[in-house]
C-alpha cells in the first residue's frame, strides 16, 4: 500500500481463499496500531463491506496480527487520496477540491525521496539533534522476508549512521583510555599477565621478555573500533545496493569517503565487554546516537557482512514517522535559509505540556508555525488544526517569548505548512514565507503555505 490509501478485505474472499470461521476470527482480532499520540501505523476497522485497512502517516512493514500476512506501506503520496480521509475539510471560497483531481487516471502520484529528506535533516546540526523517536523497530518480532529492492529500513539506518558519523569525524574522533596487551623486551609496563607471560616467554626460554597489559590514551578504543566495523558494513551495503539510494548514492559515497581516512589507524576488533562498560561522555553527545544506530545496522545484518549483498532478506517489523520527518525537514530548511536569524527560530517550543512545532521570534516576522503532513490543505483547511495553532498563539509563555506585554492586544500570526508536490515552494527564508503564504479567509491572521518535498 501507499501512504493515505485504504483497502477493503471482503468478508467472502481474501486472496481468493474462502473465509472459514477460524480465518474470520483471525482477521476480526486485528487491531489498529498507533505510532504515537498523533499518528497511527495503520487503522483497522469493520464495516458492512468487510474489514477496512487504512494506511496513515507512517511508512513501514509489519505483521497483521496473527493472520500470517503482513502490511507494507510505501512512501508515496497521492494528491487524489485526500478524498479518502474521513475528516471534514472546508474548501476555500476561491478553490474547489473537485477541480484539482477530476481525472482519476492521472491522480498525481509522487514517490517521496525520504532518504533525501533524512540527508537534509541530518546535515543541519540543529535538526539532527532533534531526530529522536523518528523510527520504531520491533527486534523481538519474527522478521518478514522481502526482496532487497523493497527494503526501506536499512537505507534509512545507514544514512542516519553515516550522517551522524560525518559530524563526529568533522569535530575529531573521541580519545579515551584503553588497554593494550604487549610482549615487551627488557622492560615492564603496567601489570604483568602471569598466565600469558609463562605461555609466551617462560616456556619458550624468552627470559628477557615480559607480557604486560597497560593503558594508552588515544583513538583506538572500543567505541571507535565498533564505529569502524559498522562503517565497513555500511560501505559494503551501499556498494552492493546502489539502486536503493538512487540520486542520493553520490552524496552517501562522498560521506563514506570523508569518514574512512579518520579510521585508518583504528582496528575493527571489538570487545563486547569493553563496549558495554564504556561510559557516556556528555562532551561527545553524538556518540550515544551513532552507537545506537550502528548496533541497529549490525543487528539487521546478523553481524555477517556477506548479508549486505543478498537479494532476499528478513527485516524486523518497523515504522518511520513521516509527520515527524516532515516537521524536521521544514525546520532544517528554515535553518538553512536563515543562517543569520536561526536563533530566532525555535523548534518544539514547550509550555505547560504543549509543544508547538516552530516559533519565530524575529520582530516583523513573529509567527506560530505548525507543520502538518496532510494533503487536505492543497484546496481547503481543517478547523481542528487551526484551533490548535491558534491556541498556541494565545499561550502567555509564547507571548513572553515574543516580548509582547500582557496588555498588548496584538494577535500573533499563525501559519500551517503542508506538503504540496505541485505548487509548493522550496526556499523557506522568512521573507519568502511571508511573501508566499496564503490567507485562510475564514480566520483572522491564519495562513497556510505549501512546501515541495523531494521526490523520485
Amino acid at each position: 500500500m501507499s501512504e493515505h490509501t485504504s483497502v477493503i478485505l471482503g468478508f467472502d474472499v481474501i486472496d481468493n481463499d474462502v473465509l472459514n470461521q477460524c480465518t474470520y476470527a483471525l482477521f476480526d482480532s486485528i487491531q489498529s496500531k498507533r505510532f504515537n499520540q498523533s499518528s497511527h501505523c495503520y487503522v483497522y476497522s469493520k464495516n458492512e463491506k468487510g474489514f477496512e485497512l487504512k494506511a496513515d502517516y507512517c511508512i513501514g512493514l509489519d505483521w497483521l496480527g496473527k493472520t500470517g500476512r503482513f502490511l507494507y506501506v510505501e512512501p508515496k503520496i497521492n494528491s487524489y487520496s485526500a478524498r479518502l480521509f474521513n475528516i471534514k475539510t472546508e474548501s476555500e471560497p476561491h478553490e474547489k477540491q473537485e477541480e484539482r483531481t477530476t481525472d482519476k487516471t492521472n491522480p498525481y502520484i509522487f514517490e517521496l525521496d525520504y532518504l533525501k529528506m533524512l540527508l537534509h535533516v541530518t546535515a543541519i546540526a540543529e535538526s539532527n539533534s532533534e531526530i529522536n523517536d523518528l523510527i520504531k523497530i520491533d527486534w523481538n518480532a519474527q522478521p518478514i522476508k522481502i526482496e532487497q529492492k523493497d527494503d526501506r529500513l536499512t537505507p534509512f539506518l545507514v544514512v542516519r549512521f553515516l550522517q551522524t558519523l560525518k559530524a563526529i569525524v568533522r569535530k575529531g574522533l573521541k580519545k579515551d583510555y584503553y588497554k593494550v596487551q604487549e610482549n615487551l623486551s627488557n622492560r615492564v609496563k603496567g601489570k604483568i599477565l602471569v598466565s600469558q607471560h609463562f605461555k609466551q616467554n617462560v616456556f619458550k626460554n624468552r627470559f628477557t621478555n615480559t607480557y604486560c597489559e597497560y593503558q594508552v590514551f588515544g583513538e583506538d578504543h572500543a567505541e571507535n573500533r565498533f564505529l569502524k566495523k559498522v562503517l565497513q558494513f555500511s560501505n559494503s551495503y551501499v556498494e552492493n545496493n546502489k539502486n536503493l539510494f538512487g540520486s542520493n548514492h553520490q552524496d552517501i559515497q562522498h560521506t563514506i569517503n570523508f569518514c574512512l581516512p579518520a579510521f585508518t589507524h583504528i582496528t575493527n576488533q571489538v570487545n563486547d565487554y569493553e563496549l558495554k562498560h564504556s561510559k557516556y561522555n556528555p562532551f561527545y553527545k553524538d556518540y550515544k546516537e551513532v552507537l545506537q544506530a550502528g548496533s541497529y545496522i549490525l543487528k539487521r545484518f546478523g553481524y555477517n557482512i556477506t548479508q549486505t549483498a543478498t537479494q532476499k532478506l528478513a527485516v524486523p517489523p518497523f515504522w518511520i514517522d513521516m509527520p515527524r520527518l516532515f516537521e524536521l525537514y521544514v525546520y532544517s530548511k528554515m535553518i538553512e535559509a536563515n543562517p543569520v536569524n536561526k536563533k530566532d527560530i525555535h523548534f518544539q517550543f514547550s509550555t505547560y505540556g504543549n509543544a508547538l512545532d516552530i516559533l519565530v521570534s524575529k520582530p516583523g516576522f513573529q509567527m506560530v508555525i505548525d507543520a502538518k503532513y496532510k494533503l487536505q490543505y492543497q484546496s481547503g483547511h481543517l478547523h481542528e488544526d487551526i484551533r490548535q495553532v491558534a491556541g498556541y498563539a494565545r499561550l502567555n509563555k509564547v507571548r513572553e517569548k515574543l516580548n509582547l506585554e500582557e496588555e498588548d492586544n496584538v494577535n500573533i500570526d499563525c501559519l500551517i505548512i503542508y506538503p504540496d508536490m505541485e505548487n509548493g515552494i522550496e526556499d523557506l527564508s522568512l521573507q519568502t514565507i511571508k511573501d508566499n503564504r496564503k490567507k485562510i479567509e475564514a480566520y483572522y491572521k491564519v495562513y497556510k503555505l505549501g512546501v515541495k518535498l523531494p521526490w523520485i
Side-chain angles (χ1 to χ4, degrees), residues 362-376:
K362 183 183 178 182
F365 297 90
Q366 295 171 329
M367 69 182 87
V368 174
I369 299 177
D370 207 4
K372 294 294 184 184
Y373 188 64
K374 297 178 180 179
L375 303 175
Q376 293 95 321

Side-chain angles (χ1 to χ4, degrees), residues 35-286:
F35 186 94
N36 52 32
Q37 293 300 317
S38 58
S39 300
H40 279 86
C41 299
Y42 58 85
V43 178
Y44 192 78
S45 59
K46 182 179 177 182
N47 55 38
E48 66 279 0
K49 295 181 181 180
F51 301 107
E52 183 178 14
L53 182 62
K54 184 185 294 183
D56 196 31
Y57 294 107
C58 299
I59 63 173
L61 182 71
D62 207 346
W63 293 107
L64 284 176
K66 298 181 180 179
T67 62
R69 292 172 170 84
F70 62 86
L71 171 66
Y72 172 55
V73 182
E74 294 181 307
K76 293 181 179 179
I77 61 174
N78 182 343
S79 297
Y80 181 75
S81 66
R83 296 183 183 182
L84 299 175
F85 284 81
N86 293 323
I87 305 173
K88 184 178 179 181
T89 306
E90 181 162 317
S91 300
E92 298 299 322
H94 58 283
E95 272 187 299
K96 290 183 180 179
Q97 282 184 284
E98 306 299 324
E99 292 178 355
R100 291 181 63 90
T101 52
T102 52
D103 183 9
K104 294 185 181 181
T105 62
N106 184 23
Y108 307 107
I109 297 175
F110 299 92
E111 182 173 353
L112 287 182
D113 194 345
Y114 71 106
L115 290 179
K116 190 174 288 293
M117 292 175 68
L118 182 64
L119 278 167
H120 195 279
V121 168
T122 52
I124 306 296
E126 289 81 0
S127 55
N128 187 46
S129 64
E130 302 285 348
I131 205 168
N132 295 331
D133 303 323
L134 192 58
I135 188 169
K136 285 186 177 180
I137 306 173
D138 188 357
W139 295 107
N140 297 321
Q142 181 183 353
I144 301 172
K145 293 182 179 180
I146 60 172
E147 296 288 332
Q148 183 75 267
K149 62 182 178 62
D150 296 324
D151 185 13
R152 304 291 180 183
L153 173 62
T154 312
F156 185 93
L157 294 177
V158 167
V159 168
R160 182 176 175 183
F161 169 81
L162 290 175
Q163 288 293 93
T164 309
L165 186 63
K166 183 179 180 180
I168 290 174
V169 170
R170 186 179 287 116
K171 296 175 185 176
L173 295 179
K174 171 185 174 182
K175 292 185 178 181
D176 203 351
Y177 286 99
Y178 60 94
K179 294 179 179 179
V180 173
Q181 295 182 2
E182 188 177 2
N183 201 8
L184 301 175
S185 178
N186 294 313
R187 62 193 181 106
V188 175
K189 188 175 183 180
K191 68 176 182 179
I192 300 174
L193 299 180
V194 178
S195 177
Q196 291 295 325
H197 175 65
F198 271 83
K199 290 180 182 178
Q200 298 294 329
N201 300 319
V202 176
F203 294 155
K204 297 180 181 180
N205 295 323
R206 297 172 181 168
F207 299 114
T208 59
N209 289 357
T210 309
Y211 204 90
C212 301
E213 181 182 80
Y214 55 93
Q215 284 192 328
V216 175
F217 184 77
E219 295 179 343
D220 193 17
H221 53 83
E223 291 178 347
N224 286 340
R225 292 175 189 173
F226 177 80
L227 295 181
K228 181 175 182 177
K229 186 172 185 178
V230 180
L231 180 59
Q232 290 173 335
F233 271 71
S234 300
N235 189 23
S236 176
Y237 180 79
V238 172
E239 280 299 308
N240 289 312
N241 300 279
K242 296 179 182 179
N243 58 313
L244 291 179
F245 297 93
S247 60
N248 303 305
H249 177 263
Q250 187 174 357
D251 292 335
I252 295 170
Q253 192 61 56
H254 175 75
T255 300
I256 293 173
N257 294 337
F258 178 82
C259 295
L260 281 173
F263 292 89
T264 303
H265 302 293
I266 295 174
T267 61
N268 62 354
Q269 300 300 317
V270 184
N271 187 314
D272 292 337
Y273 177 84
E274 287 182 316
L275 196 61
K276 287 179 181 178
H277 291 82
S278 60
K279 295 181 180 179
Y280 170 63
N281 187 339
F283 186 74
Y284 295 94
K285 57 183 180 180
D286 289 337

Side-chain angles (χ1 to χ4, degrees), residues 194-421:
V194 178
S195 177
Q196 291 295 325
H197 175 65
F198 271 83
K199 290 180 182 178
Q200 298 294 329
N201 300 319
V202 176
F203 294 155
K204 297 180 181 180
N205 295 323
R206 297 172 181 168
F207 299 114
T208 59
N209 289 357
T210 309
Y211 204 90
C212 301
E213 181 182 80
Y214 55 93
Q215 284 192 328
V216 175
F217 184 77
E219 295 179 343
D220 193 17
H221 53 83
E223 291 178 347
N224 286 340
R225 292 175 189 173
F226 177 80
L227 295 181
K228 181 175 182 177
K229 186 172 185 178
V230 180
L231 180 59
Q232 290 173 335
F233 271 71
S234 300
N235 189 23
S236 176
Y237 180 79
V238 172
E239 280 299 308
N240 289 312
N241 300 279
K242 296 179 182 179
N243 58 313
L244 291 179
F245 297 93
S247 60
N248 303 305
H249 177 263
Q250 187 174 357
D251 292 335
I252 295 170
Q253 192 61 56
H254 175 75
T255 300
I256 293 173
N257 294 337
F258 178 82
C259 295
L260 281 173
F263 292 89
T264 303
H265 302 293
I266 295 174
T267 61
N268 62 354
Q269 300 300 317
V270 184
N271 187 314
D272 292 337
Y273 177 84
E274 287 182 316
L275 196 61
K276 287 179 181 178
H277 291 82
S278 60
K279 295 181 180 179
Y280 170 63
N281 187 339
F283 186 74
Y284 295 94
K285 57 183 180 180
D286 289 337
Y287 264 78
K288 186 176 182 180
E289 181 184 333
V290 78
L291 290 172
Q292 183 186 54
S295 66
Y296 287 166
I297 291 174
L298 292 189
K299 277 186 181 180
R300 159 65 189 81
F301 293 121
Y303 299 88
N304 186 350
I305 199 168
T306 60
Q307 295 296 315
T308 59
T310 57
Q311 295 306 308
K312 290 187 177 181
L313 61 149
V315 177
F318 74 95
W319 290 100
I320 299 173
D321 188 1
M322 291 301 293
R324 176 73 172 174
L325 182 58
F326 177 64
E327 292 173 7
L328 290 167
Y329 182 73
V330 170
Y331 177 54
S332 66
K333 293 285 284 185
M334 290 185 67
I335 294 295
E336 180 187 48
N338 303 277
V340 177
N341 303 307
K342 62 182 181 181
K343 290 185 178 180
D344 297 318
I345 302 172
H346 314 279
F347 184 72
Q348 292 291 304
F349 183 78
S350 300
T351 172
Y352 304 115
N354 298 293
L356 56 93
D357 290 344
I358 301 171
L359 177 65
V360 180
S361 60
K362 183 183 178 182
F365 297 90
Q366 295 171 329
M367 69 182 87
V368 174
I369 299 177
D370 207 4
K372 294 294 184 184
Y373 188 64
K374 297 178 180 179
L375 303 175
Q376 293 95 321
Y377 286 95
Q378 292 179 8
S379 57
H381 58 263
L382 299 173
H383 297 294
E384 181 181 351
D385 294 342
I386 294 174
R387 285 193 292 268
Q388 182 184 42
V389 71
Y392 291 146
R394 305 283 292 194
L395 291 169
N396 287 327
K397 194 172 179 181
V398 171
R399 298 180 68 85
E400 290 172 7
K401 187 71 176 179
L402 301 182
N403 295 319
L404 296 176
E405 300 294 337
E406 188 173 347
E407 61 273 8
D408 196 336
N409 294 323
V410 174
N411 288 286
I412 304 170
D413 291 353
C414 297
L415 175 66
I416 293 177
I417 293 182
Y418 63 94
D420 187 344
M421 305 300 291

